[in-house]
């Protein structure tokens, strides 16, 4: 059984190609940023991260065997359904998956305000490398992202 990275991006935001690329890049980084932050130490002005990684994830990433799938959510509610499905599967938010929220500095309009008073827009969701059957149990409710 293979591994898959699943990213779901909102279609109703009508992202430009550049913005879409940036949001997918944020999704791809989401899991690794969480893993690094969770295992971070700082000493003498240097930052160090050390963590254990599942052998299958390690081998599949190094050998380019993890499939990446980008799906579209029609709107925010449909995107949040993916979060709900993940939770029902026992996945942990901000560990196994996470929401991507844009700072709205370029082409998006804020939909909510964060704890610092900054406008934000929820754009997508990332998932850590998942077994294909787990990823498919979520992605089957969505179509592949297309223009």
């Amino acid at each position: 059984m293979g591994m898959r990275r699943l990213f779901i991006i909102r279609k109703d935001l009508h992202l430009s190609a550049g913005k879409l690329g940036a949001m997918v890049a944020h999704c791809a980084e989401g899991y690794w940023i969480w893993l690094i932050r969770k295992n971070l130490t700082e000493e003498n002005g240097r930052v160090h991260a050390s963590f254990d990684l599942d052998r299958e994830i390690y081998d599949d990433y190094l050998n380019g065997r993890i499939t990446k799938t980008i799906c579209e959510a029609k709107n925010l509610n449909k995107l949040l359904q993916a979060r709900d499905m993940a939770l029902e599967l026992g996945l942990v938010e901000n560990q196994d998956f996470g929401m991507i929220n844009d700072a709205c500095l370029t082409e998006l309009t804020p939909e909510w305000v964060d704890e610092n008073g900054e406008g934000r827009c929820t754009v997508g969701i990332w998932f850590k490398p998942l077994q294909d059957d787990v990823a498919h149990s979520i992605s089957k409710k969505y179509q592949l992202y297309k223009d």
Side-chain angles (χ1 to χ4, degrees):
M1 182 175 303
M3 303 287 292
R4 181 173 304 271
R5 290 293 313 268
L6 174 61
F7 312 127
I8 304 174
I9 305 291
R10 284 176 57 186
K11 187 71 171 181
D12 63 320
L13 297 174
H14 306 288
L15 304 175
S16 67
K19 189 67 167 182
L20 175 62
M23 293 297 101
V24 170
H26 283 308
C27 283
E29 292 175 332
Y31 171 66
W32 301 110
I33 289 171
W34 168 80
L35 197 58
I36 291 168
R37 283 184 179 154
K38 179 179 174 260
N39 296 284
L40 199 63
T41 59
E42 187 171 348
E43 186 177 321
N44 299 325
R46 300 206 31 100
V47 177
H48 177 76
S50 178
F51 50 85
D52 294 324
L53 193 59
D54 179 83
R55 184 70 192 190
E56 185 177 16
I57 292 172
Y58 175 79
D59 288 343
D60 286 357
Y61 251 104
L62 286 182
N63 294 306
R65 291 190 303 251
I66 292 185
T67 302
K68 287 89 175 167
T69 301
I70 304 169
C71 293
E72 63 183 41
K74 292 180 183 178
N75 53 43
L76 178 59
N77 286 335
K78 188 70 173 170
L79 181 68
L80 295 176
Q81 287 176 7
R83 181 188 66 193
D84 294 343
M85 284 188 278
L87 292 169
E88 288 173 13
L89 289 168
L91 299 177
V92 177
E93 190 165 2
N94 298 320
Q95 175 179 320
D96 301 323
F97 71 94
M99 306 306 292
I100 295 297
N101 299 308
D102 188 64
C104 301
L105 300 177
T106 56
E107 61 187 68
L108 295 177
T109 303
E111 295 179 326
W112 54 278
V113 177
D114 68 12
E115 65 276 356
N116 298 317
E118 303 290 330
R120 299 281 186 239
C121 179
T122 302
V123 178
I125 185 172
W126 60 265
F127 292 87
K128 73 176 191 175
L130 299 170
Q131 293 293 331
D132 269 333
D133 61 334
V134 175
H136 183 67
S137 70
I138 298 169
S139 67
K140 69 182 179 184
K141 303 285 186 185
Y142 299 86
Q143 66 180 21
L144 293 176
Y145 198 100
K146 61 182 181 215
D147 280 338

